[in-house]
Amino acid sequence: MKLPHIVLVTGTDTGVGKTVTTAALASALQAKGRSVAVYKPCQSGDAAGDSDCTEITRLAGPLTAEAGVVLQEPLAPVPAAALDGVTLPPLAAHAARVRELASTHNHVLVEGAGGLLVELDADGGTLADLGRHLGRDATFVVVARPALGTLNHTALTLEALERRDLAIQGVVLGSWPDQPGALEHGNRASLGALRPLLGVIPEHAADLPPVTFREASAHWLSGVSS
């Protein structure tokens, strides 16, 4: 399935594999000769050394990767900004920067914070609202777990996007176990019936040597084309 210029990568929750999925998307697109930029509106946890942009660059190789604002505590953006005494940029500022990056790259991958409706600014704006700012130039990729509970969480995320009339490219399973059982295989089939299943990222993929990660990304994301 061909990706548009702007792809917003959201998750059904925190820790579902958004960063690794974003890195795999970047790798797969770069392998096809596409230029890629990654934008993270709000990066939390800098005091603990968390940097999704750094991790994506480590795995995917050299590319443009930047955060709109960097916050110290590993919290959602609004409480983290309050502790830092920082004013969060408005969604319009993030949208403007994404459009700037899109003017000089074939694709911009925008990685959200936590789930779809986590607030990114003081006005309650979310990644879904950022998608509205970007309009029909953008689509969403939803990263989900294969484990128990994922059907409800994924259906709720997809419904929230649909109610806002936002484009959905498909679903990626962000952490596929080495030895999946009936539960994981059943969830994989059910999620694929909800929306196109763009790919499956193996558990511990981030532990692979970066060269191996890059070579495997297109195989993992077999439902994506440039």
Side-chain angles (χ1 to χ4, degrees):
M1 184 175 293
K2 188 171 183 178
L3 288 178
H5 292 304
I6 301 172
V7 179
L8 296 100
V9 181
T10 191
T12 56
D13 197 356
T14 190
V16 296
K18 291 190 305 297
T19 299
V20 176
T21 297
T22 302
L25 281 169
S27 296
L29 291 168
Q30 290 189 127
K32 298 175 185 293
R34 313 295 285 175
S35 61
V36 179
V38 172
Y39 184 75
K40 178 89 175 179
C42 299
Q43 173 66 62
S44 301
D46 188 60
D50 294 341
S51 174
D52 293 337
C53 290
T54 298
E55 178 68 353
I56 290 165
T57 302
R58 181 184 73 84
L59 292 171
L63 49 72
T64 301
E66 62 183 66
V69 62
V70 176
L71 304 165
Q72 297 304 305
E73 299 302 319
L75 303 171
V78 170
L83 287 175
D84 287 355
V86 170
T87 299
L88 291 171
L91 290 187
H94 294 307
R97 183 55 183 152
V98 170
R99 290 193 185 96
E100 287 176 1
L101 291 168
S103 71
T104 55
H105 296 80
N106 297 126
H107 299 281
V108 183
L109 308 180
V110 182
E111 184 190 346
L116 176 67
L117 300 184
V118 170
E119 295 180 354
L120 302 178
D121 66 11
D123 296 322
T126 67
L127 192 70
D129 296 314
L130 181 57
R132 280 178 160 175
H133 275 269
L134 295 168
R136 290 302 175 186
D137 294 331
T139 191
F140 279 82
V141 167
V142 176
V143 184
R145 290 188 179 94
L148 189 67
T150 193
L151 298 182
N152 180 60
H153 295 160
T154 307
L156 287 170
T157 301
L158 294 172
E159 181 177 307
L161 290 167
E162 290 163 355
R163 282 180 173 272
R164 290 163 173 80
D165 195 28
L166 295 167
I168 304 168
Q169 194 75 11
V171 175
V172 173
L173 292 177
S175 185
W176 187 252
D178 294 335
Q179 296 183 323
L183 170 66
E184 289 81 12
H185 284 296
N187 285 341
R188 179 173 179 167
S190 295
L191 292 174
L194 288 176
R195 285 283 172 169
L197 186 64
L198 303 179
V200 174
I201 310 297
E203 195 173 29
H204 309 304
D207 296 333
L208 294 170
V211 171
T212 304
F213 181 95
R214 295 165 202 164
E215 291 173 348
S217 290
H219 172 70
W220 297 334
L221 295 168
S222 57
V224 173
S225 65
S226 60

